[in-house]
Amino acid sequence: NKRISACASIDFSPDNDVRNIAFEDIDGSLSGLGPGFFIQDDPVVTNFIDTPCEAFKDSCLLFCPGACLRLAIVSISQDMTTRGINLIITDGTNSATAPRGNIWFDEKQSHISAPIGLAIPGGPTKTISFVDSSARPAWPGYASIHLEHEPVCTGSVDRSGIEFAMPSPDEPEGRCDGDFFSRDDFANGIHGWQHFFAGLDVVGDNGSYIIKTNRRKRDGGHVSLVRTLDVSCLAPNGGHTYNLAGKIRMQDTNNFDVACDGRSSACPKLTFNIKSNTGTLMSKSWFLQTNGDGTWSIFDINVTLPADISSAFKAQLHLTDATKKEFLVTDWSMTRNPTFYETPAANSWQVFSGKGFLTPPNATEVEANRAQVVNLLGRSTNHIVYRLCNSCSESHKHIYYRRWTPVPSTMDILDLFEDNWVSQTNEMGADFSLYSTYEDAVSNANGWDFCNFDSAGIGFPGNCGPHTWTPTSEWNSLTKDGGQEDVAFFVEKPSPPSTSPSPTHTPTSPAIAAHTDMPSSDPTVIPVSTSSPVTASPVSAAPVSTVPTNLALNGLASAATECYGGFASKTNDGNPGTIAHSCCSRGDWWMVDLGYGTSNYIKNIVVLNRGDCCGGRTRQFYVEVLDANKNVVNF
């Protein structure tokens, strides 16, 4: 029997925070005018109602007979970046502005989203957009919508009748340029950082600002420090790589700095979440290292956005874990790395293959280069193929393959790099060498020590590594699932003749002859200088280590059959929650390539059964260790 005065609610605050009052008169008993809606006299409601509305007696409300409205709650980022942002709603003919109103930060600044209530009628599709205080297109970090229960009347709006219109990244000009994620106005407040159940302080420090939590030491509660990113600026950059960097410290309840190795939940955990209306598009986490001596620990992370990010409505950074500890963050930034094609270095290379978000922009030129890749390689100054891999680990992002011997006419060099990294006429130290930098490749310095080959469907560079076998899948393939998604291959462009001799190399195989350092008319011949021979570094087997090493971890795995999504690689991916699954065929087998020379270092072989169920299925099996020719090795 409690009553609320609509008029008193509207006038309760000098800022008129109560807006869009609308309630249904289901049977007309309140108005005496038939079914309809009582509404607040606000253009956000009245501009979209087709039926005429009239002032109801002496009330501050209007009554709209026959109208059918539904309450929609638009949630936007609740941070300082949304100050002055207004919501615009239009149906193609009519439009209205819903002011954002005051941001109601409380003492602990713990609110993550802010609601805007709208009473929306059915009819034409309603489009929601946002503008800043200067009426320029804007986006409030993220925006989502929730519809309350349907009214009794028919013809109310549903979710398909409401859409958001994001502004383009260059509207207004410069809105998303450069390091736009780091432009926090700390001098005037917290700006974009928010937090669940934590207080935040912003402290000036020689021109920089330190963000510091101050709740954990008071009550030991869980805290999640959050930075909402402008997803409209990310939307057109699917597949691009961003650099996330900053400095962090961690303190205990006595304000003493705490060291953490960045390997467990005792350390700060940084998570990058991107969500769409249908689910999570990306969620990646990293434990961060901290120092115990009062100095800042630097984090520097490259992350590639998902391809379908254009469907995202929310992107956030979360800093969590490390129970009962405080976080201090400074000098943070998130910037888009330029693609290779956007850099001056691209002018020195001719691309002949690419996939994912390194797919070359000029397909016609690429096809021409593919047809003459051997010729291009032979005519280039240093006979180098360069693989760029944005999705690889740092050790494999840039690999330079320098060819020392002629490419035989029987060799499919495109297949060698793209799909089948083989050893035939491709012996490390004799036919080629690998390097991590172009300078090393040119000077024949710091060549890689380890390579393996001959796994069907596995392209360049297999499990080759600078010093030993690489336990992660840094290879690429155009035909096999797995491997790296964003790769491109380039041949160095020919340079004008130089009087300076090229670095030289003596092949480790005596059967390989050297050729004079002159351009050849035979496109299969790669010239190699004969003066001042330099011996290449020999290929090494895996080194002996006093620390137990899982040689199988992320090695090249294969199986006789694969079913139910249980790919062979799931057996040795390091995740106990994933399994390989055969097709229950007779004679099924599973195999992993441990790399050249590793049989000398095998001490134990441990096979773990799946832990969720079905343990009885794995029985009556045996384990063999094979050499490179698939012969059983006896221990």
Side-chain angles (χ1 to χ4, degrees):
N1 294 323
K2 293 183 179 180
R3 296 172 178 256
I4 299 176
S5 169
C7 298
S9 299
I10 294 172
D11 296 329
F12 180 77
S13 166
D15 296 312
N16 294 326
D17 285 334
V18 177
R19 296 183 176 89
N20 300 324
I21 292 176
F23 61 91
E24 186 175 13
D25 185 2
I26 297 174
D27 55 7
S29 58
L30 289 178
S31 65
L33 301 174
F37 266 80
F38 288 95
I39 65 169
Q40 182 180 354
D41 190 1
D42 192 307
V44 176
V45 183
T46 58
N47 284 9
F48 304 97
I49 297 178
D50 293 332
T51 59
C53 302
E54 297 181 359
F56 184 72
K57 300 181 179 179
D58 296 328
S59 169
C60 63
L61 300 180
L62 304 178
F63 182 74
C64 307
C68 191
L69 308 178
R70 189 172 182 182
L71 179 62
I73 306 297
V74 177
S75 295
I76 66 173
S77 174
Q78 168 72 321
D79 61 43
M80 302 290 282
T81 62
T82 62
R83 283 193 183 275
I85 282 186
N86 291 327
L87 180 151
I88 306 295
I89 182 170
T90 179
D91 64 1
T93 302
N94 305 297
S95 65
T97 300
R100 169 68 181 82
N102 289 346
I103 292 183
W104 29 276
F105 276 127
D106 66 4
E107 176 198 9
K108 300 182 183 62
Q109 303 161 343
S110 60
H111 300 293
I112 300 301
S113 63
I116 302 175
L118 301 174
I120 302 177
T125 298
K126 309 300 186 294
T127 300
I128 294 174
S129 59
F130 297 88
V131 295
D132 62 17
S133 56
S134 299
R136 298 173 303 181
W139 191 254
Y142 70 85
S144 63
I145 192 165
H146 170 74
L147 291 174
E148 296 292 294
H149 63 82
E150 290 188 60
V152 175
C153 58
T154 58
S156 64
V157 68
D158 59 20
R159 183 62 185 86
S160 64
I162 306 172
E163 61 184 18
F164 288 106
M166 281 189 186
S168 65
D170 56 356
E171 186 183 12
E173 185 177 356
R175 185 174 66 89
C176 294
D177 285 354
D179 59 347
F180 57 91
F181 291 122
S182 62
R183 296 189 308 210
D184 286 333
D185 186 16
F186 292 122
N188 294 311
I190 302 296
H191 204 57
W193 288 94
Q194 304 163 279
H195 21 83
F196 288 110
F197 310 115
L200 273 189
D201 294 328
V202 175
V203 182
D205 181 31
N206 295 323
S208 297
Y209 290 91
I210 299 173
I211 309 162
K212 182 179 180 181
T213 60
N214 59 26
R215 169 81 180 255
R216 292 187 176 189
K217 61 188 176 186
R218 293 204 302 269
D219 61 10
H222 171 71
V223 178
S224 178
L225 183 62
V226 178
R227 177 60 162 91
T228 299
L229 307 176
D230 189 337
V231 75
S232 71
C233 292
L234 293 175
N237 291 299
H240 282 286
T241 300
Y242 279 75
N243 178 255
L244 178 59
K247 300 176 182 177
I248 188 168
R249 289 164 56 193
M250 183 170 66
Q251 294 182 340
D252 61 18
T253 55
N254 296 314
N255 291 329
F256 291 120
D257 280 71
V258 178
C260 201
D261 60 7
R263 297 180 181 178
S264 72
S265 59
C267 306
K269 182 173 75 172
L270 181 64
T271 301
F272 188 6
N273 285 326
I274 300 177
K275 295 183 178 181
S276 71
N277 288 319
T278 57
T280 299
L281 298 178
M282 186 187 82
S283 182
K284 294 187 176 182
S285 298
W286 308 267
F287 288 115
L288 303 182
Q289 178 182 342
T290 57
N291 302 327
D293 58 2
T295 61
W296 293 98
S297 178
I298 297 173
F299 59 91
D300 192 323
I301 300 165
N302 286 314
V303 57
T304 301
L305 302 184
D308 53 351
I309 193 174
S310 59
S311 64
F313 78 88
K314 181 188 292 187
Q316 290 180 324
L317 300 173
H318 292 254
L319 195 58
T320 58
D321 282 17
T323 305
K324 297 184 180 179
K325 300 295 190 300
E326 302 288 354
F327 298 144
L328 293 84
V329 178
T330 191
D331 294 341
W332 88 282
S333 65
M334 183 172 176
T335 58
R336 185 174 76 87
N337 295 335
T339 66
F340 181 78
Y341 305 111
E342 296 170 343
T343 64
N347 297 327
S348 301
W349 300 88
Q350 289 182 300
V351 60
F352 66 86
S353 180
K355 62 178 291 192
F357 288 94
L358 281 174
T359 299
N362 190 332
T364 303
E365 177 186 357
V366 173
E367 285 304 312
N369 292 344
R370 289 173 66 84
Q372 55 173 328
V373 63
V374 176
N375 179 273
L376 292 169
L377 185 60
R379 292 190 296 109
S380 65
T381 304
N382 300 298
H383 324 302
I384 295 174
V385 171
Y386 165 42
R387 190 193 80 164
L388 171 63
C389 179
N390 281 351
S391 53
C392 286
S393 302
E394 287 299 320
S395 60
H396 285 67
K397 284 187 180 297
H398 308 279
I399 307 177
Y400 297 85
Y401 170 102
R402 184 166 187 181
R403 186 77 187 187
W404 299 113
T405 63
V407 177
S409 58
T410 57
M411 184 181 197
D412 186 343
I413 198 167
L414 292 176
D415 185 64
L416 175 73
F417 290 114
E418 293 177 338
D419 287 305
N420 289 286
W421 178 240
V422 297
S423 57
Q424 185 177 4
T425 65
N426 189 50
E427 182 181 345
M428 187 175 185
D431 298 306
F432 74 93
S433 297
L434 297 179
Y435 307 88
S436 296
T437 70
Y438 175 74
E439 292 74 18
D440 282 349
V442 170
S443 61
N444 188 28
N446 304 312
W448 287 20
D449 296 331
F450 177 83
C451 252
N452 67 337
F453 309 85
D454 304 319
S455 293
I458 303 300
F460 181 82
N463 281 118
C464 300
H467 304 295
T468 186
W469 173 79
T470 302
T472 53
S473 300
E474 307 291 351
W475 49 269
N476 53 257
S477 177
L478 299 186
T479 59
K480 184 180 179 67
D481 291 336
Q484 298 299 319
E485 293 297 325
D486 302 313
V487 298
F489 287 93
F490 305 82
V491 176
E492 187 179 18
K493 292 181 179 179
S495 300
S498 172
T499 57
S500 302
S502 299
T504 57
H505 172 87
T506 297
T508 57
S509 171
I512 304 299
H515 299 269
T516 57
D517 193 12
M518 293 291 290
S520 170
S521 58
D522 182 353
T524 66
V525 174
I526 296 181
V528 179
S529 175
T530 58
S531 62
S532 304
V534 178
T535 303
S537 301
V539 179
S540 303
V544 177
S545 174
T546 59
V547 179
T549 301
N550 183 358
L551 298 174
L553 181 63
N554 291 317
L556 304 178
S558 55
T561 60
E562 297 173 321
C563 279
Y564 311 108
F567 300 112
S569 60
K570 291 185 176 182
T571 293
N572 60 317
D573 61 1
N575 183 353
T578 61
I579 62 167
H581 200 300
S582 73
C583 298
C584 303
S585 304
R586 189 176 185 84
D588 271 326
W589 52 262
W590 178 90
M591 181 166 56
V592 60
D593 184 353
L594 303 180
Y596 177 78
T598 50
S599 62
N600 296 328
Y601 308 111
I602 296 176
K603 301 300 181 185
N604 297 290
I605 298 176
V606 180
V607 180
L608 299 177
N609 207 346
R610 63 187 292 181
D612 56 342
C613 72
C614 319
R617 293 179 181 176
T618 306
R619 63 183 186 273
Q620 296 181 345
F621 69 94
Y622 56 90
V623 178
E624 294 178 331
V625 177
L626 310 178
D627 62 18
N629 296 317
K630 305 296 191 292
N631 297 317
V632 176
V633 177
N634 294 318
F635 287 88

